[in-house]
Amino acid sequence: AATNRPAVVGDEDLRVEAAPPRCEREPVGAAAAVAVLLTACANQKEPAESAVAKVEASFTELKADAAKYAAQELGDVEKAVGRLKAKLAEQDYGGALQGAPAVASTVAALKATVAQRKADAAELLATAQQEWTELSASMPQLVDTLQKRVDSLSRSSRLPRGMDKAAFEAAKAEFLKVKASWNEATAKFGEGLAADAVRSARAAKAKGEHLMR
């Protein structure tokens, strides 16, 4: 027979009714996590952009001189700056902030290398210009003396003792090389290549002095 005893609710039923459904709790937690993440990203964006901009500005200012004085090192630094900019483009602001100091140090090292090599080049140029002044005073006279000797022997019916026609023709060919080397040196100096000009002039002078013996 039916009874009027109140229904007994088991422990399992109590647990189900006591806890709110999952679908009502998880979206709230996920939204909070996204909000925190977005806030963190927003807080890192401006410092990251500023840090990368400073590195890029330093590198851009240095790039022209680096191409001239440190071309090999320039390639490595350029790749490092590119990777840093890629992090920024990918919105990896934390990675960009973390990587910026190391890349900045690399740029600074390249700057120091360029400055040293530039100073060395300036010193070499000053030395070359001084030597060129001496060479440009002596070489024209040497070439002129040799030219007169060659012209004189060419007109003469007799060659000096110990020199036959073959030896004279060989000496004359060497003299033409001396003139060509000196003309080449003069052209290089006119183009601003003082060191190359001095090397060519030295070679010409050595050959010319040998022919004078």
Side-chain angles (χ1 to χ4, degrees):
T3 64
N4 293 327
R5 186 178 60 181
V8 177
V9 180
D11 290 342
E12 183 176 336
D13 295 323
L14 285 173
R15 283 198 300 271
V16 171
E17 289 185 10
R22 282 179 176 272
C23 62
E24 293 179 7
R25 292 179 59 185
E26 287 188 356
V28 175
V34 170
V36 171
L37 180 60
L38 290 176
T39 301
C41 288
N43 289 341
Q44 289 182 324
K45 181 180 179 181
E46 187 174 343
E49 289 176 339
S50 177
V52 173
K54 287 179 181 178
V55 171
E56 187 176 10
S58 297
F59 176 67
T60 300
E61 182 181 357
L62 179 65
K63 195 172 181 179
D65 281 345
K68 184 176 181 180
Y69 296 105
Q72 184 174 354
E73 294 88 340
L74 172 63
D76 294 336
V77 176
E78 192 165 25
K79 290 177 183 177
V81 173
R83 288 192 294 267
L84 185 66
K85 291 171 64 178
K87 288 184 181 295
L88 195 64
E90 294 164 3
Q91 298 183 359
D92 181 6
Y93 302 125
L97 271 175
Q98 186 177 6
V103 179
S105 296
T106 304
V107 173
L110 177 62
K111 185 175 182 179
T113 298
V114 169
Q116 182 60 56
R117 292 182 184 174
K118 199 171 182 179
D120 292 344
E123 184 178 352
L124 179 63
L125 177 61
T127 302
Q129 287 177 331
Q130 182 178 355
E131 187 174 355
W132 177 260
T133 300
E134 297 169 359
L135 288 166
S136 60
S138 62
M139 275 303 296
Q141 183 178 354
L142 177 60
V143 170
D144 184 60
T145 300
L146 287 170
Q147 183 69 67
K148 288 177 179 177
R149 181 174 292 186
V150 168
D151 292 343
S152 175
L153 291 174
S154 296
R155 290 191 301 267
S156 177
S157 58
R158 297 178 61 183
L159 294 172
R161 182 177 298 178
M163 177 181 285
D164 58 17
K165 185 173 177 58
F168 173 64
E169 291 300 326
K172 190 162 63 172
E174 284 300 305
F175 168 64
L176 293 177
K177 290 180 181 178
V178 168
K179 287 179 65 175
S181 294
W182 173 241
N183 290 335
E184 179 185 349
T186 302
K188 285 180 178 178
F189 189 82
E191 294 169 4
L193 304 173
D196 290 342
V198 166
R199 282 191 287 270
S200 295
R202 283 178 190 158
K205 185 177 182 181
K207 287 182 180 179
E209 289 176 341
H210 179 73
L211 290 173
M212 287 291 291
R213 295 171 187 168

